[in-house]
C-alpha cells in the first residue's frame, strides 16, 4: 500500500489561521458564544441590503475530515470542489492535508491559488473542453478520467503526458438520490474496456487506473462492493492486454454524514474496507503501488454550513400565514425538497433573544416562498410556524452541499454573492 494520507500541508496553510479564504475566523467555544456571534452578525447585516448569509463552522470540517481518515486510513480523499467552492472551506481542507477533485478550469485555479501543488489534484471530469485540457497541461495537473475514444483524441493532442483513469458505471446505483450513470462511465465488461485500452495504447497514452461514482447521497452501500468488483475486472482486463501501469483505484464520492446520522458513513466505510480486502488483497499489502483515492463532496460540507434567511414579506389569510424569505428555489434550495427544508428550519426573532416566548408557543399553518416572481419558488408549505414578522429570520441547518453552488442570478437575486462568515467551534 502506498503511504498514508497524513498530508504534507503547504507551509503557507495553517488550520488555526485567523483568516481563511480571505475571511476572518471567529473562535466560538460555548453555545452562548455562537449565539452572540449570530446576533452580532445579524445586527451588522442590518446595515446592508437584506441578504441571507451562511455561517461555516470549521470545527465541523475538522471533525468530518478526522472521521474520514480514521475510518478509511488506506484511502486518500480528494474533496469534490463543485459541491461547495467556498474559499475558507477549500483552505481548511488543504491545511488538513486533503487532496482535490476539480471538474473545470476555474476549480483548478481556485485550488492552485491556495498554494496546493498540482499533483494533489485530479481533474475528474470525463468530458472536458479543449481549453480546459490545455490549461491543465500548462499548470501540471496530470491525472484525469475518460470514458470515450473521442476524449482520448483530445488528450493525445493537448495533454499527452496526462495519466488516465477509465470511468466505469457502478453495476448498481439505484440507491442514490442523484445517480450519475446515465451520463458517465462505460460498462466494466471487456467488450467496452478493451477498445478504450487499445485506443489509449495506440495513442501513446497511459491508462493507470479505474474510477467510479455510486451516485450522490447514496443509500445502498453494497453499491461500493459491486463497483469495486467491477473495477477489479477492469484491472484484470488491462493485465491481460499487457498493461502493467494500473496503480490507481478511485472510489468516487457518495458518502453522507449528518449530525443526526453518523451510522451511514460507518456502514459505508466497513463495506468499502471489506470489498478492498476481498478484491485487491495483494495490492493492500505494504510495498504495493496501488493508490486508493476517494472524491467526497457532500460528506465534508453538508453539516458544516448553516443558512440564515430573513423574512422580507408576509401575508395573513385568516389562520394561514405566507412568508417570503430572501433565498429560495433559484438560490440555495434548488435541491432541497419540502420535507428536508422543514426539518432544517428554525425560526429566529431578535426580539425574543433568539430563544423564548413572544407568543412563540402558538403556531400557524405556514407557507414559505423564495424571493423571485416564479410561483414555483416555494421553499415549503404545510408546516406550522409561530407568528413571525418581516425582519425576523428563518435558519436552515445542514445547508453545505450543493446549495449556494447551484444557485442562479434569476430575477437579480445573486446566489453567488451570499456572504459566508467563518467560525471555529471546539467540536473536534
Ligand atoms: C459530484 C462528484 C463527486 C462528489 O460527490 P458527492 O456525492 O457529493 O460525494 C465526486 N466525484 C465526481 C466525479 C463527481 O461528479
Amino acid at each position: 500500500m502506498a503511504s498514508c494520507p497524513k498530508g504534507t500541508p503547504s507551509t503557507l496553510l495553517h488550520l488555526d489561521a485567523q483568516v481563511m479564504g480571505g475571511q476572518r475566523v471567529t473562535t466560538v467555544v460555548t453555545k452562548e458564544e455562537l449565539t452572540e456571534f449570530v446576533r452580532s452578525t445579524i445586527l451588522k447585516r442590518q446595515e446592508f441590503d437584506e441578504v441571507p448569509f451562511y455561517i461555516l463552522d470549521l470545527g465541523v470540517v475538522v471533525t468530518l475530515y478526522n472521521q474520514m481518515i480514521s475510518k478509511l486510513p488506506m484511502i486518500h480523499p480528494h474533496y469534490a470542489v463543485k459541491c461547495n467552492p467556498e474559499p475558507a472551506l477549500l483552505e481548511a481542507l488543504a491545511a488538513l492535508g486533503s487532496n482535490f477533485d476539480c471538474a473545470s478550469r476555474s476549480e483548478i485555479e481556485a485550488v492552485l491559488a491556495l498554494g496546493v501543488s498540482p499533483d494533489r489534484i485530479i481533474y475528474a471530469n470525463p468530458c472536458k473542453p479543449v481549453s480546459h485540457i490545455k490549461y491543465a497541461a500548462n499548470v501540471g495537473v496530470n491525472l484525469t478520467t475518460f470514458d470515450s475514444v473521442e476524449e482520448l483524441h483530445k488528450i493525445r493532442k493537448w495533454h499527452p503526458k496526462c495519466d488516465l483513469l477509465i470511468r466505469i458505471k457502478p453495476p448498481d446505483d439505484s440507491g442514490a438520490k442523484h445517480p450519475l450513470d446515465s451520463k458517465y462511465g462505460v460498462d466494466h465488461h471487456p467488450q467496452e474496456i478493451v477498445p478504450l485500452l487499445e485506443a489509449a495504447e495506440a495513442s501513446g497514452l497511459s491508462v493507470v487506473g479505474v474510477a467510479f461514482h455510486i451516485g450522490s447521497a447514496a443509500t445502498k452501500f453494497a453499491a461500493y462492493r459491486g463497483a469495486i468488483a467491477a473495477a477489479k475486472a477492469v484491472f484484470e482486463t488491462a493485465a491481460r492486454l499487457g498493461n502493467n501501469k494500473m496503480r490507481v483505484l478511485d472510489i468516487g464520492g457518495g458518502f453522507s454524514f449528518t449530525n443526526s446520522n453518523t451510522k451511514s458513513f460507518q456502514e459505508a466505510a466497513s463495506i468499502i474496507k471489506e470489498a478492498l480486502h476481498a478484491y485487491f488483497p495483494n495490492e493492500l499489502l505494504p510495498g504495493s503501488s496501488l493508490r486508493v483515492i476517494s472524491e467526497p463532496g457532500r460528506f465534508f460540507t453538508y453539516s458544516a454550513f448553516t443558512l440564515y434567511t430573513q423574512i422580507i414579506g408576509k401575508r395573513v389569510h385568516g389562520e394561514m400565514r405566507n412568508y417570503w424569505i430572501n433565498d429560495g428555489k433559484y438560490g440555495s434550495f434548488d435541491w432541497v425538497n419540502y420535507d428536508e427544508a422543514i426539518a432544517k428550519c428554525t425560526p429566529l426573532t431578535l426580539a425574543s433573544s433568539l430563544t423564548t416566548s413572544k407568543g412563540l408557543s402558538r403556531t400557524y399553518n405556514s407557507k414559505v416562498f423564495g424571493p423571485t416572481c416564479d410561483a414555483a419558488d416555494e421553499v415549503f408549505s404545510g408546516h406550522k410556524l409561530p407568528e413571525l414578522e418581516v425582519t425576523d429570520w428563518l435558519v436552515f441547518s445542514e445547508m453545505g452541499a450543493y446549495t449556494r453552488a447551484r444557485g442562479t442570478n434569476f430575477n437579480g437575486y445573486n446566489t453567488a454573492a451570499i456572504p459566508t462568515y467563518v467560525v471555529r467551534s471546539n467540536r473536534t
Side-chain angles (χ1 to χ4, degrees):
M1 169 104 272
S3 66
C4 277
K6 289 287 178 294
T8 37
S10 150
T11 49
L12 296 172
L13 301 167
H14 297 288
L15 190 62
D16 50 2
Q18 292 311 300
V19 175
M20 280 273 174
Q23 299 278 9
R24 201 162 73 86
V25 180
T26 305
T27 302
V28 291
V29 176
T30 61
K31 229 181 147 118
E32 289 69 37
E33 280 175 9
L34 178 61
T35 305
E36 188 42 43
F37 179 79
V38 169
R39 191 184 173 78
S40 67
T41 304
I42 284 177
L43 289 174
K44 200 161 55 194
R45 289 299 329 164
Q46 284 174 351
E47 297 163 20
F48 302 95
D49 287 348
E50 312 95 322
V51 287
F53 64 89
Y54 276 95
I55 292 183
L56 159 61
D57 185 349
L58 294 178
V60 176
V61 178
V62 173
T63 305
L64 292 169
Y65 191 81
N66 290 341
Q67 273 278 335
M68 179 60 82
I69 295 298
S70 70
K71 289 281 180 297
L72 292 171
M74 74 295 279
I75 300 184
H76 304 250
H78 287 245
Y79 170 61
V81 174
K82 77 169 188 286
C83 182
N84 191 325
E86 168 58 39
L89 172 74
L90 298 182
E91 188 170 343
L93 284 168
L96 283 164
S98 179
N99 306 299
F100 294 89
D101 156 4
C102 298
S104 66
R105 172 179 177 149
S106 69
E107 289 183 2
I108 296 173
E109 282 170 346
V111 171
L112 291 179
L114 300 170
V116 170
S117 81
D119 59 7
R120 285 169 66 186
I121 297 175
I122 175 171
Y123 187 176
N125 187 337
C127 192
K128 297 164 282 292
V130 163
S131 58
H132 297 214
I133 297 174
K134 287 187 195 169
Y135 173 75
N138 244 330
V139 297
V141 170
N142 298 331
L143 182 64
T144 190
T145 55
F146 79 108
D147 62 3
S148 70
V149 170
E150 288 72 10
E151 192 70 8
L152 291 176
H153 294 330
K154 289 187 287 177
I155 295 166
R156 178 177 54 87
K157 192 151 178 208
W158 301 110
H159 195 0
K161 289 207 193 83
C162 199
D163 286 338
L164 305 173
L165 308 182
I166 295 189
R167 172 86 173 254
I168 60 169
K169 289 185 197 306
D172 174 17
D173 64 2
S174 61
K177 188 169 157 199
H178 306 282
L180 295 159
D181 72 344
S182 63
K183 185 165 179 184
Y184 292 123
V186 289
D187 193 277
H188 63 280
H189 294 120
Q191 58 269 37
E192 293 210 12
I193 298 299
V194 169
L196 288 179
L197 288 171
E198 287 179 344
E201 178 74 24
S203 304
L205 297 171
S206 296
V207 176
V208 302
V210 177
F212 61 78
H213 193 303
I214 66 159
S216 200
T219 54
K220 287 191 196 163
F221 302 117
Y224 283 112
R225 186 183 301 122
I228 289 168
K232 172 70 176 190
V234 177
F235 272 69
E236 284 169 349
T237 302
R240 272 201 301 279
L241 292 185
N243 175 339
N244 56 7
K245 298 179 208 142
M246 298 288 278
R247 56 181 166 75
V248 180
L249 172 63
D250 176 357
I251 67 166
F255 310 94
S256 41
F257 192 102
T258 69
N259 288 334
S260 51
N261 182 8
T262 58
K263 268 218 328 262
S264 75
F265 174 62
Q266 288 171 16
E267 193 189 327
S270 66
I271 288 175
I272 289 164
K273 265 195 284 207
E274 272 170 40
L276 289 176
H277 283 287
Y279 294 101
F280 290 88
N282 297 331
E283 290 84 347
L284 291 176
L285 296 175
S288 157
S289 60
L290 183 73
R291 183 178 168 89
V292 186
I293 69 176
S294 63
E295 299 167 350
R298 189 176 292 279
F299 182 85
F300 287 144
T301 56
Y302 183 83
S303 52
F305 287 77
T306 305
L307 174 65
Y308 292 77
T309 68
Q310 193 167 21
I311 295 175
I312 54 169
K314 174 178 179 179
R315 184 171 53 204
V316 177
H317 264 314
E319 287 297 291
M320 272 288 292
R321 298 290 179 270
N322 291 342
Y323 297 107
W324 280 256
I325 58 175
N326 49 7
D327 197 355
K329 281 290 177 192
Y330 292 91
S332 301
F333 289 89
D334 184 22
W335 272 9
V336 183
N337 68 31
Y338 283 16
D339 290 344
E340 289 169 291
I342 289 168
K344 292 170 188 295
C345 179
T346 313
L348 189 70
T349 71
L350 278 190
S352 64
S353 312
L354 316 181
T355 46
T356 48
S357 67
K358 193 195 155 199
L360 289 190
S361 50
R362 168 124 199 245
T363 58
Y364 300 84
N365 201 354
S366 302
K367 202 181 251 195
V368 172
F369 295 111
T372 71
C373 292
D374 184 351
D377 189 2
E378 188 177 307
V379 176
F380 62 75
S381 64
H383 179 54
K384 296 227 173 217
L385 287 175
E387 181 92 50
L388 297 167
E389 303 301 339
V390 171
T391 74
D392 283 340
W393 295 75
L394 291 183
V395 183
F396 295 87
S397 61
E398 303 187 326
M399 284 291 287
Y402 305 106
T403 46
R404 197 182 74 173
R406 293 186 47 83
T408 70
N409 195 17
F410 178 52
N411 248 189
Y413 291 94
N414 186 358
T415 313
I418 298 175
T420 297
Y421 296 88
V422 185
V423 299
R424 187 186 294 109
S425 69
N426 62 347
R427 282 211 251 168
T428 48

